[in-house]
Amino acid sequence: MSAFDMRGQKVNYQYNSGGNINFGNVKNPTDIISELEKLKDEISKAGDAQVIDAEIVTDVQYQIQKAVDQAKKPEPNKNSILEHLATAKDFLKNAIEVGGIIAGIAKSIEMVQQLF
């Protein structure tokens, strides 16, 4: 039987893509909004764990919130939503530790293209 010696190792943050965020169940714009809100929470957790710089956390959350605000409008502008999400994704491009979050944003872009 194998044993792993974990002494001295520290895990600051681990994105759990199988957690609460699930773009696979998105069926309508309201679902996208809900999942984007969950992504913002996950970004906060990564910031709290100091995996992402605080300024980047602020920038990413701002862009996602702008996308959410646009999606909530009676006649949302699809291109505006996509631009905000792409910008949020770009802010994270150098943070390989949050690849799951980046994948979540990429999936949200896909869903916006389908549902808006």
Side-chain angles (χ1 to χ4, degrees):
M1 173 154 85
S2 298
F4 295 98
D5 185 355
M6 301 295 286
R7 288 178 287 188
Q9 294 186 16
K10 182 180 176 188
V11 176
N12 289 329
Y13 171 80
Q14 182 175 351
Y15 173 75
N16 181 5
S17 62
N20 295 330
I21 302 169
N22 187 353
F23 283 98
N25 290 334
V26 169
K27 304 285 186 243
N28 57 56
T30 302
D31 293 342
I32 290 174
I33 292 167
S34 175
E35 297 306 306
L36 288 173
E37 294 288 355
K38 292 175 188 176
L39 259 179
K40 280 181 27 188
D41 290 341
E42 199 64 36
I43 291 161
S44 288
K45 290 176 189 174
D48 291 345
Q50 299 179 343
V51 174
I52 305 173
D53 180 72
E55 284 185 45
I56 293 174
V57 169
T58 300
D59 291 337
V60 171
Q61 287 183 325
Y62 175 79
Q63 292 299 324
I64 292 175
Q65 186 60 53
K66 293 293 282 181
V68 167
D69 292 345
Q70 184 62 232
K72 288 180 177 179
K73 289 184 176 183
E75 292 185 32
N77 181 321
K78 175 181 175 178
N79 289 330
S80 177
I81 297 168
L82 293 171
E83 286 174 19
H84 289 298
L85 294 174
T87 301
K89 186 177 157 199
D90 284 346
F91 277 120
L92 295 171
K93 67 183 172 193
N94 294 324
I96 58 173
E97 301 86 356
V98 293
I101 293 173
I102 295 169
I105 295 172
K107 186 64 177 174
S108 70
I109 290 170
E110 248 180 70
M111 299 310 299
V112 166
Q113 290 173 331
Q114 292 175 16
L115 298 173
F116 282 88

